Amino acid sequence: MPNRLINETSPYLLQHANNPVDWYSWGEEALERAKRENKPILLSIGYSACHWCHVMERESFENEAIAALMNQHFVNIKVDREERPDLDAVYMEAVQMLTGSGGWPMTVFLTPEGKPFYGGTYFPPVDRHNMPGFPRLLESVAGSYHNNRSEIDRVTGQITEQMGRTAHMPKTGAKLGDGSIHTAYSALATNFDYQNGGVGGAPKFPQAMTLEVLLRYYAHGHNDRALEMLELTLQKMAQGGIYDQIAGGFHRYSTDTYWLVPHFEKMLYDNALLARLYINAHQATGRGMYRRIAEETLDYVLREMTGLHGGFFSATDADSEGEEGKFFVWTPDEIESVLGSEEAPIFSGFFGVTKGGNFEGQNILNIPENATDFAKEQGIELDRLIDIVQRGKIALREVRQLRVPPLLDDKVLASWNGLMLRAFAEAGAAFDRQDYIDAAIKNATFLLREMKPAGRLLRTYREGQAKLPGFLEDCSFVADGLLALYESTFDLQWLTAAIDLADEMIDLFWDEGAGAFYDTGSDHEVLVVRPRDVFDNAQPCGGSVASDLLLRLAVVTGNDGYTQKAVTPMQTLNELMSRAPAGMGRWLAALDFYVSVPKEIAIIGPADDPATRQLAGTVFGRYLANRVVVGADGEKSPQPPFAKRGSVNTIPLLEGRGMVDGKPTAYVCENYACQLPVTDSEALAVQLGG
């Protein structure tokens, strides 16, 4: 008999719909029952691609005896952390305070008022490895709640008093300069792995935003070693098992220091952030490998992570058929059966495939040495090796598609879609790929029509249903993507939509007294604390993207109010940027934009004129750490269909700008002071810096 979760849209919640646990989703029904019956709440938070979430479900939530204990003593609530990052942030902070660490599955015990008093992560079904068995824990917690309420109240009082302190950091008014950026680089250089790339040791995460700090540092001419650090990391990741050598796209992280053995889940946000990083690296260096990795990653998303509606799906699982990585690994015999006895040894040798394997007796494909050296060792022409590898990858991908695939979490999250929207828009402009621009346009149209149906951006969409009020990250990430799409197309409707969403973001999330954006809107339900996450971890936080977005919109629109709301949080967090750069990557990018002099580029000319496209290609084909781009074709733009406050009437960078001698023309400005207009791409390149 299914439980209440059968009515949810989240694939993660639906996975638990047939548990014998009497699950509720988070809401008034569950909270009211807890108060009415004076029962503590057992809150379980996870996500669909979480390996240990599946383990705990199999061991405990599908166990009739354990489920009976849960149902007897608790009101049980299951939450998808990807749908409700607010709840995840609030109660993760509590678990970290209680235990010193956190993770998923997260298990938290609450009073009926939602106040946490005990928690942890994974609990085994029996006592094991110094961890209490889940049944013993359940009875102990229930007993303490009913027999020692004074102690429970004391603990909840202490915890809730400490929670949310980052949400109440005082304004500082600190003077912002590039000192934090220099300090951050020094810290990253100290902790860098100069043999394998990346920051820190195992497990090793692909910290795209941290790596972008290195690229920016190099681009400003501060230290060439920053580029060496970046390139070592990009190459090691692209050659390692963390990258899907067959189909493209990155797995979540590497369990070792070598980028070889990944945790096999694939997340949309990782691939959006990494695709952009490889795009930028190609723009900065011209290396074809970086473009190939970016395109393979985006092609994978189009092929396997995109719905017919244009929305991008959230994730694929690490497991298939109950085994982690089974979908992705190979034996030499399997490869030979596909490629034949002549080409299989070459293909297998190139990808490090051996009889003994590198993962539980099988092989994660990786590239131990570069193609030129391998071809020379094998005594074959490089072109032949490349041909064998390319044809082999296509053939193995087709065979792999016949396997039982990992679970696809096909819900659409607004924030993660905003990240991927920007990646496709920038790739389309940088690589002159109209198919990428088309994918970005289709996604933007979907987000604005289906996930903003009544003016308020919603968080999640699946099977025709959009729901849950969007969080700060949803508004800021989507507006950020829309601004990138405007820059790539010069279509005014996307700029207007970005401005409308930025204004909505300010209305809902800005707190003038705190001088900060909160993660939940003023129309959100009241939680134990109002969350404000200030760290850029696996994905940027909503606040850092909001500051970055508003700084760029301020240049485009001339609205100084945007600048004030972007800068105030950065002043508060300035010291933290220096002390913890690995968790402040997007903040540092926003700071870099603010303290530098961004290039303001205007391109005037018909969109379909090859000369206009050539000028745009000159801009987007190079890495400019800080720039804004606007454009016009000289004709009056139509009323944007998504405008809430009417069309944008003026863009300062376009005022008084026109074509010279009837030719498409570019203007390069700084602080609204422009160089001479140019109609030649070579002259434009000189103005942009060589």
Side-chain angles (χ1 to χ4, degrees):
M1 183 75 176
N3 56 51
R4 294 170 187 81
L5 300 184
I6 197 66
N7 298 315
E8 296 296 317
T9 58
S10 159
Y12 176 67
L13 298 185
L14 289 170
Q15 289 170 12
H16 294 78
N18 290 299
N19 295 163
V21 178
D22 185 17
W23 289 118
Y24 287 80
S25 59
W26 182 273
E28 282 302 316
E29 183 183 6
L31 301 176
E32 285 299 321
R33 181 187 165 192
K35 293 174 184 175
R36 186 174 64 251
E37 298 182 7
N38 189 27
K39 276 188 173 182
I41 293 168
L42 191 162
L43 175 64
S44 176
I45 301 180
Y47 59 101
S48 67
C50 168
H51 172 72
W52 286 102
C53 298
H54 300 321
V55 172
M56 192 165 178
E57 180 190 16
R58 290 194 299 267
E59 292 179 339
S60 295
F61 303 150
E62 293 179 353
N63 183 297
E64 295 281 353
I66 294 176
L69 282 174
M70 295 172 66
N71 296 337
Q72 176 185 351
H73 295 300
F74 302 93
V75 173
N76 303 291
I77 300 179
K78 174 61 73 172
V79 166
D80 181 345
R81 69 173 295 265
E82 295 170 355
E83 283 194 335
R84 295 298 304 264
D86 56 329
L87 296 173
D88 183 63
V90 167
Y91 292 112
M92 181 61 76
E93 182 180 10
V95 168
Q96 289 172 335
M97 290 170 57
L98 286 162
T99 68
S101 62
W104 301 275
M106 178 163 54
T107 308
V108 199
F109 297 93
L110 318 175
T111 67
E113 295 75 33
K115 296 180 179 180
F117 62 89
Y118 189 74
T121 54
Y122 164 82
F123 291 101
V126 295
D127 293 357
R128 183 193 301 157
H129 304 310
N130 295 321
M131 289 188 291
F134 200 44
R136 183 162 71 88
L137 178 71
L138 294 172
E139 293 188 330
S140 175
V141 170
S144 295
Y145 177 79
H146 291 291
N147 300 324
N148 198 1
R149 281 303 299 272
S150 61
E151 177 64 15
I152 296 293
D153 291 340
R154 184 187 70 81
V155 171
T156 58
Q158 287 183 338
I159 294 172
T160 53
E161 182 181 348
Q162 296 295 318
M163 289 171 65
R165 284 196 166 190
T166 57
H168 300 96
M169 289 187 296
K171 297 181 187 178
T172 66
K175 182 175 176 60
L176 296 177
D178 62 1
S180 295
I181 298 171
H182 293 300
T183 304
Y185 169 74
S186 296
L188 295 175
T190 299
N191 294 301
F192 189 76
D193 181 346
Y194 287 94
Q195 182 174 354
N196 304 296
V199 178
K204 189 168 282 185
F205 290 82
Q207 299 169 298
M209 291 167 287
T210 301
L211 296 172
E212 184 186 346
V213 173
L214 297 178
L215 181 57
R216 286 172 170 269
Y217 205 72
Y218 161 76
H220 289 310
H222 295 314
N223 195 322
D224 288 348
R225 174 175 280 191
L227 181 64
E228 296 171 8
M229 294 160 64
L230 172 70
E231 290 208 82
L232 175 64
T233 307
L234 294 183
Q235 290 167 18
K236 290 289 188 179
M237 287 197 301
Q239 293 168 351
I242 192 173
Y243 183 69
D244 185 347
Q245 302 292 341
I246 295 298
F250 288 87
H251 298 293
R252 180 69 196 91
Y253 63 86
S254 174
T255 61
D256 53 49
T257 61
Y258 314 107
W259 308 105
L260 175 61
V261 179
H263 190 44
F264 288 91
E265 64 198 52
K266 286 184 177 180
M267 313 301 294
L268 186 70
Y269 58 79
D270 281 324
N271 286 285
L273 294 169
L274 287 167
R276 278 197 61 229
L277 182 63
Y278 278 88
I279 293 166
N280 292 159
H282 172 74
Q283 291 169 318
T285 67
R287 292 185 187 275
M289 188 265 278
Y290 300 146
R291 173 171 178 166
R292 174 177 65 82
I293 297 298
E295 290 184 318
E296 287 180 355
T297 298
L298 295 174
D299 290 345
Y300 150 74
V301 171
L302 287 179
R303 189 176 60 247
E304 301 184 32
M305 298 289 286
T306 305
L308 295 176
H309 44 52
F312 303 122
F313 300 142
S314 294
T316 55
D317 206 340
D319 301 5
S320 55
E321 300 182 79
E323 295 182 26
E324 184 173 7
K326 184 175 182 179
F327 182 76
F328 298 99
V329 296
W330 299 86
T331 66
D333 290 343
E334 288 174 326
I335 293 174
E336 184 172 337
S337 70
V338 178
L339 304 184
S341 59
E342 181 180 349
E343 295 189 350
I346 297 173
F347 184 93
S348 294
F350 180 72
F351 283 109
V353 175
T354 64
K355 286 286 186 183
N358 56 26
F359 179 72
E360 299 178 356
Q362 299 191 77
N363 291 271
I364 301 167
L365 301 191
N366 69 107
I367 303 175
E369 61 180 326
N370 68 58
T372 301
D373 291 343
F374 182 79
K376 186 176 181 180
E377 290 173 6
Q378 298 298 310
I380 60 176
E381 294 294 327
L382 179 61
D383 287 346
R384 180 167 182 251
L385 172 63
I386 293 173
D387 182 57
I388 290 172
V389 167
Q390 292 296 81
R391 287 189 290 104
K393 286 165 63 173
I394 294 171
L396 290 189
R397 190 177 77 213
E398 292 175 351
V399 170
R400 200 175 76 175
Q401 289 304 110
L402 301 177
R403 297 175 176 176
V404 176
L407 175 73
L408 170 67
D409 187 331
D410 61 352
K411 70 176 179 291
V412 176
L413 296 175
S415 62
W416 298 4
N417 272 245
L419 294 176
M420 190 57 77
L421 168 59
R422 181 171 179 180
F424 272 106
E426 292 190 356
F431 302 151
D432 195 21
R433 289 279 300 264
Q434 187 60 42
D435 57 334
Y436 288 169
I437 296 293
D438 291 343
I441 291 172
K442 187 173 182 180
N443 179 253
T445 303
F446 164 79
L447 290 171
L448 293 169
R449 285 184 177 163
E450 301 299 329
M451 298 188 70
K452 206 172 182 289
R456 175 71 158 92
L457 182 66
L458 301 179
R459 167 69 175 173
T460 183
Y461 174 98
R462 186 172 183 268
E463 294 186 346
Q465 181 181 353
K467 65 179 186 180
L468 302 178
F471 300 98
L472 174 64
E473 67 176 55
D474 296 302
C475 290
S476 62
F477 291 15
V478 171
D480 185 57
L482 291 167
L483 179 56
L485 183 55
Y486 164 72
E487 289 189 318
S488 298
T489 62
F490 302 146
D491 187 336
L492 195 59
Q493 65 173 312
W494 308 123
L495 176 59
T496 304
I499 292 170
D500 282 345
L501 196 49
D503 290 341
E504 177 183 317
M505 177 182 77
I506 292 169
D507 291 344
L508 289 169
F509 300 96
W510 179 256
D511 187 299
E512 190 63 40
F517 287 102
Y518 283 93
D519 292 339
T520 54
S522 56
D523 58 351
H524 197 79
E525 66 180 290
V526 177
L527 302 176
V528 177
V529 296
R530 189 177 183 187
R532 179 190 172 210
D533 184 9
V534 300
F535 289 102
D536 299 317
N537 292 310
Q539 64 178 57
C541 67
S544 63
V545 176
S547 284
D548 190 23
L549 166 73
L550 292 177
L551 288 172
R552 289 183 290 127
L553 279 180
V555 176
V556 173
T557 64
N559 184 341
D560 289 335
Y562 288 158
T563 302
Q564 180 268 322
K565 288 179 173 59
V567 169
T568 304
M570 291 196 297
Q571 292 174 319
T572 301
L573 297 170
N574 188 44
E575 183 183 350
L576 198 56
M577 291 187 216
S578 299
R579 288 192 289 109
M584 307 294 287
R586 190 63 178 268
W587 285 112
L588 286 162
L591 176 64
D592 181 50
F593 186 97
Y594 177 68
V595 301
S596 69
V597 182
K599 290 192 181 296
E600 305 151 0
I601 304 162
I603 297 177
I604 315 297
D608 57 355
D609 190 318
T612 305
R613 295 185 62 173
Q614 189 173 28
L615 291 173
T618 301
V619 174
F620 294 116
R622 67 191 57 238
Y623 180 67
L624 298 170
N626 299 303
R627 55 106 176 117
V628 295
V629 187
V630 298
D633 61 8
E635 298 178 1
K636 185 178 180 182
S637 299
Q639 176 72 13
F642 300 122
K644 183 174 66 178
R645 296 169 171 79
S647 63
V648 180
N649 293 317
T650 61
I651 298 175
L653 296 176
L654 294 178
E655 289 181 354
R657 308 290 180 229
M659 293 193 294
V660 175
D661 298 330
K663 298 178 181 179
T665 304
Y667 298 79
V668 178
C669 316
E670 292 178 351
N671 290 332
Y672 301 107
C674 294
Q675 302 182 50
L676 291 174
V678 294
T679 59
D680 176 83
S681 60
E682 292 183 4
L684 174 59
V686 171
Q687 292 188 356
L688 294 175

